[in-house]
Amino acid sequence: MLFVFGYSYADTGNTKIAETRSWKFPYGNTFPGKPSGRFSDGFVSTDYIAGYLGMKTPIPYRWREQLSERVKDGLNIAYGGTGVFDTMVAEPNMTTQIDFLQQLLHDSVYTKRNLKTSVAFVSVAGNDYATYNAKNGSAQDFPAFMESLVNQLMVNLKRIHDMGVRKIGITSLLPLGCLPRNTAPFSFQHCDDTYNALVALHNQLLSQVVNTLNQQTNTSNNPSFFILDLYNAFWTVFNRNETYEGNDPTFEKPFEPCCFGVSGGFKCGNVDENGENKYTLCSDPISKFFWDGVHPTEQGWYVVYKTPAFQNSLKQFYGLT
């Protein structure tokens, strides 16, 4: 079984249909050919990780009763726009997501034995920093905010383990300064180095948390907690250029998205009151790493998944080294 927690990089359809762009055209254009609640044109990280583990992509938590026969594969409890703490989106934060699994355990939908043979995938924290910035959080208070965030993440990961899950993989934070919404002021030419320096600090603290948790749970020799190296996987792709001679594709302008709002007030999927599209859409999503201002394309996720950095961390996670 696979249980998934986090935000839009992992969500496969939990967010409310009426409230999110992931249920609007052109999302889902590549797979399944219509919007499915994934924040991309097709597959996202969860789909590739499930495939690597030889499992079906778990169904979104919101469909657990309608598709009850699929609950045996696990559940995706990630919600787009959410964080470790509450964000600007009125959806369940990570603590509440874990509460949902706790309730299912209480209701005997799952047993402790089920959880002991399952794995958890956690992808979270980017929205917490975006919310801090949106609320005009000060630079002076930022280190304390980061510390409280990572400490709460530690509590959350430990709680998943205490419920019985023996393998928990959490992604490192990607270079947020390279998201199109942060490279747009630079004409999508280069990243925001200041933002990326903060990401590096977050990942350093996250690494310490994972080491501490493995020590506390006496699993240092046979770890339960793993970092899935999204940070270096993204950089591997960004640093490839046209002269790269590997087998994997390169992206000529990696920071330029396929789908983007026509101006600052619009985003991919937005239409005006007359139904007119207020976004531009590229002709071939395979040629782009990013789908919109924040999320990779299906092809982008595939290339990230295939990088040595991400493959090596997956092998450690699944005990293949």
Side-chain angles (χ1 to χ4, degrees), residues 98-170:
I98 300 169
D99 288 343
F100 290 162
L101 182 57
Q102 186 83 56
Q103 186 62 45
L104 293 171
L105 195 60
H106 180 266
D107 294 343
S108 301
V109 174
Y110 297 110
T111 64
K112 275 267 191 183
R113 187 174 180 180
N114 290 147
L115 296 192
K116 283 188 175 176
T117 57
S118 66
V119 295
F121 169 50
V122 178
S123 185
V124 74
N127 289 323
D128 290 285
Y129 292 117
T131 300
Y132 185 85
N133 289 337
K135 291 183 175 180
N136 297 316
S138 70
Q140 181 181 348
D141 293 336
F142 191 85
F145 173 75
M146 181 180 286
E147 186 175 352
S148 67
L149 176 70
V150 173
N151 286 342
Q152 183 60 46
L153 196 45
M154 183 174 179
V155 170
N156 293 353
L157 294 173
K158 176 73 161 53
R159 193 173 157 213
I160 295 170
H161 182 269
D162 289 347
M163 289 167 67
V165 181
R166 286 294 167 263
K167 280 188 181 291
I168 302 162
I170 179 167

Side-chain angles (χ1 to χ4, degrees), residues 6-7 14-16 61 77-87 89-98 100:
Y7 65 155
N14 273 316
T15 46
K16 297 183 183 78
Y61 174 79
I77 317 178
Y79 283 76
T82 64
V84 175
F85 298 132
D86 287 342
T87 60
V89 173
E91 296 281 12
N93 67 22
M94 189 180 175
T95 297
T96 306
Q97 292 173 22
I98 300 169
F100 290 162

Side-chain angles (χ1 to χ4, degrees), residues 200-215:
L201 181 56
H202 169 96
N203 287 336
Q204 189 179 340
L205 294 175
L206 181 63
S207 181
Q208 292 171 9
V209 158
V210 165
N211 289 336
T212 300
L213 284 170
N214 281 324
Q215 290 167 0

Side-chain angles (χ1 to χ4, degrees), residues 250-287:
T250 60
F251 301 94
E252 188 177 347
K253 296 177 180 177
F255 310 129
E256 185 176 275
C258 175
C259 185
F260 209 63
V262 295
S263 63
F266 298 101
K267 297 178 180 178
C268 178
N270 286 162
V271 296
D272 64 15
E273 60 275 10
N274 298 318
E276 185 179 334
N277 293 343
K278 305 306 287 185
Y279 59 87
T280 59
L281 183 66
C282 70
S283 59
D284 183 15
I286 288 178
S287 68

